[in-house]
Amino acid sequence: MPRPKEFDRSKVVQRAMDVFWQQGYETTSINDLTKATKLKPGSLYNTFGSKHAIYLEALDHYLAHVGSDIFTVLDAPISGLTAIEICFDGLITLELSDPLQRGCFMQNAIMDRSAHDPDVHKRACKSETEGIGAFRRALERAQNNGEVRQDIDLDDTARYLVSIIYAVRTMARTSRIRSDLETVVQIALSTLT
C-alpha cells in the first residue's frame, strides 16, 4: 500500500516557483527543485510528472496568488483614474522592494518560453487579457466620471497601459530610482487627460 503524501502541495509549488523565478526554466535543474522543495526526485516526478509540469503549476500559482494582485485595485469602488494611479504606484513599490530584482515571473516566462511553449503562451495570453480587462473597466469608470478624455479608445488604451506595466517592470531591473519609474508612468498617464 503506497504511503500517503506528507507534504503541502501549495508550499512545494511556492518553493519551486521561487527557484524558477530566480533562475529561469532552462537553468533550473531537478536537483535545484529537490533542494528547494525538500522532496526526493522520485516524489517530485510522482507528484508532478515532469519539470515542465512543475513549471506550469508554478506559473499558475503565481498568476493566482502574486501576479494578479497589482490589478485588484482597478476594480475597487474608487475613482477609475485614482485606481490606475494606485495600481502603478503599487507596481513601482513592488518592483523596487524585491532585492533580487526578479521582475515579473510571468513576464520572464513570456520572454524565455512563450514563443516555443504553447502552454506558457496560453497562460501569457490569459494573464494579459485579464490585465487589459481590469484596466478597461477602470478606464470606463474614469471616462464616465469625466476623469479622462472622451475620445480615447478604451480597449486600445487598456492594452497601452498593460504595455507600460511591462516597461516599468523591465526598467526596474536596471534602474532602481523610483523617480525614473514614476516619470515613465506620469508621461503615460498624461496621455489620458
Side-chain angles (χ1 to χ4, degrees):
M1 180 163 87
R3 285 184 10 207
K5 295 178 182 165
E6 299 173 8
F7 59 86
D8 181 333
R9 185 182 186 106
S10 179
K11 287 181 182 174
V12 168
V13 171
Q14 171 74 41
R15 290 179 189 136
M17 180 191 78
D18 289 338
V19 175
F20 284 125
W21 195 352
Q22 179 64 29
Q23 298 179 191
Y25 179 81
E26 294 298 333
T27 58
T28 297
S29 68
I30 290 298
N31 189 44
D32 295 329
L33 293 170
T34 59
K35 283 181 187 174
T37 63
K38 299 180 178 30
L39 292 179
K40 294 184 177 179
S43 293
L44 209 57
Y45 281 115
N46 287 338
T47 301
F48 297 98
S50 68
K51 174 181 156 180
H52 187 254
I54 301 166
Y55 182 72
L56 295 176
E57 196 163 329
L59 276 176
D60 291 340
H61 181 84
Y62 175 83
L63 292 173
H65 301 286
V66 182
S68 61
D69 285 354
I70 65 162
F71 297 115
T72 303
V73 70
L74 296 173
D75 286 315
I78 59 175
S79 147
L81 186 56
T82 299
I84 292 167
E85 290 166 345
I86 292 170
C87 175
F88 278 106
D89 185 65
L91 171 70
I92 292 169
T93 299
L94 178 68
E95 293 302 318
L96 294 179
S97 67
D98 183 358
L100 301 176
Q101 295 176 269
R102 297 172 297 176
C104 169
F105 184 37
M106 186 72 246
Q107 186 172 343
N108 297 347
I110 291 168
M111 299 302 291
D112 293 342
R113 302 202 50 79
S114 185
H116 59 274
D117 186 328
D119 295 316
V120 172
H121 182 75
K122 178 178 153 188
R123 285 161 174 81
C125 290
K126 180 179 184 279
S127 173
E128 189 171 288
T129 299
E130 288 172 1
I132 290 168
F135 272 123
R136 191 194 190 289
R137 291 187 298 275
L139 285 165
E140 186 171 24
R141 284 196 324 276
Q143 200 172 57
N144 290 340
N145 292 333
E147 300 169 319
V148 299
R149 295 188 348 246
Q150 294 299 308
D151 65 333
I152 64 170
D153 181 279
L154 297 177
D155 294 319
D156 290 344
T157 306
R159 276 190 289 280
Y160 169 68
L161 293 176
V162 167
S163 76
I164 298 302
I165 293 267
Y166 293 146
V168 168
R169 284 186 148 151
T170 301
M171 191 174 172
R173 294 184 89 168
T174 57
S175 174
R176 306 303 285 169
I177 302 168
R178 185 177 191 93
S179 61
D180 289 351
L181 302 176
E182 289 173 340
T183 298
V184 170
V185 171
Q186 288 166 1
I187 291 170
L189 296 186
S190 73
T191 65
L192 305 180
T193 56

